[in-house]
Amino acid sequence: MSRGADVTPTHWAHFNPVRIAAGVGALEHLPQWVQPQVKVLLVTTAGFSRRGVTDRLLRLLGEQRVVVHDRVTPNAQLDEVEHAAVSLRDQNIGAIVALGGGSVLDTAKALSLGLCSTDAHPFGNVFRAGRPQTWTEAVPLYAIPTTAGTGSEVTPFATMWDRTTHKKHSLSGERLYPAVALLDPDLTLSLPLEETLYSALDAISHALESLWNKNRAPVSSALAFRALAIAERALPRVLATPDRVEARANMQHASLLAGLAISQTRTAMAHSVSYPLTSRCGVPHGLACSFTLPYILRANLDRVAEHAEERTVLAAVLELLERLDLGTRMRQYVSGREILGLQDEMHAQGRIENFAGELPGGLPRLLEESVR
Amino acid sequence: MSRGADVTPTHWAHFNPVRIAAGVGALEHLPQWVQPQVKVLLVTTAGFSRRGVTDRLLRLLGEQRVVVHDRVTPNAQLDEVEHAAVSLRDQNIGAIVALGGGSVLDTAKALSLGLCSTDAHPFGNVFRAGRPQTWTEAVPLYAIPTTAGTGSEVTPFATMWDRTTHKKHSLSGERLYPAVALLDPDLTLSLPLEETLYSALDAISHALESLWNKNRAPVSSALAFRALAIAERALPRVLATPDRVEARANMQHASLLAGLAISQTRTAMAHSVSYPLTSRCGVPHGLACSFTLPYILRANLDRVAEHAEERTVLAAVLELLERLDLGTRMRQYVSGREILGLQDEMHAQGRIENFAGELPGGLPRLLEESVR
């Protein structure tokens, strides 16, 4: 039985111009990609500097031309990013190399716009004062992910959090596509187990959210189903043997494919639900956007899967998600009652409308069943 | 059982910057895409002019700025393309709209280079006199496929045939990526049944050839398996009810996904075998590059499929190919003995080396078994 007519829209588009280069040791090829001569801003975290990765990049790129910004902290904060953008403007930066997880890539993407702006409050004026986004230029970005989850290395989106208003803001637009995504699975080996899990759940969430999405299309479906098939096998292996680079590489591929899928569809229900849980209760993003997946998937599996082999993949993903017992993990951060109390903030514009599935019992039942 | 380590290379890359816009009636959106004001060269066939499509495009784009070249014939010929390029150079063409099958798209791609050259024999000097390719510019190309098979709308390749030497030449390079691929399934409704079948077989061949390919990678695999899953279901429906636009749209999607896959991997064994059969014996390309697929697939199914759901898809494709009895169709054009006599010409450089599968009994047995 084909349900193709139900889930594939009659009109669709696709465009993703990111150059992808992947493989063990791919980091060594970075100098081939970054424009020669220009001044480079390296965006990363103190942890990577401590572990010697920053020094390695300085050697690779040529120390004299690199400005290091290694103070990125989890969940890119509007004020911090804005401050960094303004204070780095006089440095004549011609390229940004971002090495890190989602927050590093988000920060770097925001900087790629903020460095080209002359506004003293490029992000505050847009997200707090409500002025229109007028960024027309961006510094070319070379994205090197060290987690396998966000897919940010191939999306035209960046997330920014506002600590003062507890809001999550989205930067988006074609100029946010990185010029190059460089995937070296060696860089993901140092990721702690819990972050590995939550990153992977973010990737699985991206793939599923691109399937029950009103923007779903043939290309995004191809990428999403493959992301799920790879992730479903790779994640248990990564968790069992986190120092095996092959499983890490597979998880990195799954994350990339899921990123390519949401680069076209954006996310939907599960992400919409997650934002207040992260901004108000500090739930890690990958957990917050995945704890509702089992319920949504169970209710929509036949709608999302057009064919038998797709049902096979989705059923395996559902089984994996159920085994991970995400409800119990959620309750380490927040009670069921607190979650229910945040319902009104779970309607992220441009996310929840993307959801093309069914939600029997609505949001309350989704939340109740998901933290049981 | 996973054979992932066997078939996925450790280093891989991906880059495809084509904008895709698809849907019934998408042709009407063409003016949104083509640069305004610039002079447009419309490349198509006499058939489309006869059926009124050229007039429709003239209305859409504005008649006064369009130069029509509607004399494209099957299998783009070097001399004809070169002559057209040189004679159109003084027209100050700023965009090319190509509407047609593979030959139209190939011709248009070659023209997009040839129009920017000052060489009196831009293709002859390269492919006959052996001078290096020095094209550094191309006119932006808007590709509108009317067959569902070549995938040329999203590849950086164009094929050119040399009638005098019976050789097939390949143009390739990033500047050959169309700016936009516009997919309107309505345009494929007029394709005769036999051409519909052979086009679809070309697409299936692209998908399979990208899987048993040494350049296979996670993104190309995702696209190829999905192309096969869609094509295997859509092709019988298109053949049974050729005027149903939904099945035509699905076949068009499969062709596009397969094109995206080979845009990264290029083709392999089955295409290498096909070229002399087309250039010397006039076998339609889609048939020539697919009649060997059942044998190659049977011998490589377990190697190509990493997982159960992939084997399901490949087994269904194999069954479909066997049902189509391509050997008998081949013998309408050429005898088994003639085919065997062309073996020495079946080693296309840059194709046969891409084949990462097994070929028990080598080329002779492949050919014998395939025309039985």
Side-chain angles (χ1 to χ4, degrees), chain A residues 88-102:
Chain A
L88 286 163
R89 266 181 204 160
D90 57 359
Q91 297 268 5
N92 193 29
I93 301 295
I96 299 178
V97 171
L99 183 139

Side-chain angles (χ1 to χ4, degrees), chain B residues 301-315:
Chain B
L301 202 146
D302 280 337
R303 165 183 295 263
V304 168
E306 291 178 88
H307 302 295
E309 76 274 9
E310 295 162 9
R311 266 188 290 277
T312 307
V313 171
L314 293 180

Side-chain angles (χ1 to χ4, degrees), chain A residues 22-67:
Chain A
V24 172
L27 186 61
E28 296 297 318
H29 303 299
L30 179 63
Q32 290 172 19
W33 297 108
V34 181
Q35 297 134 287
Q37 273 99 40
V38 303
K39 202 155 177 185
V40 177
L41 174 65
L42 171 60
V43 181
T44 188
T45 63
F48 282 106
S49 289
R50 217 163 37 233
R51 287 192 291 279
V53 183
T54 297
D55 281 344
R56 194 173 156 202
L57 287 167
L58 289 173
R59 271 198 306 277
L60 279 170
L61 293 166
E63 195 160 350
Q64 67 294 342
R65 67 163 174 152
V66 182
V67 179

Side-chain angles (χ1 to χ4, degrees), chain B residues 270-292:
Chain B
H271 273 72
S272 188
V273 164
S274 79
Y275 299 129
L277 294 167
T278 296
S279 64
R280 298 224 178 245
C281 314
V283 182
H285 174 65
L287 177 59
C289 70
S290 64
F291 81 104
T292 54

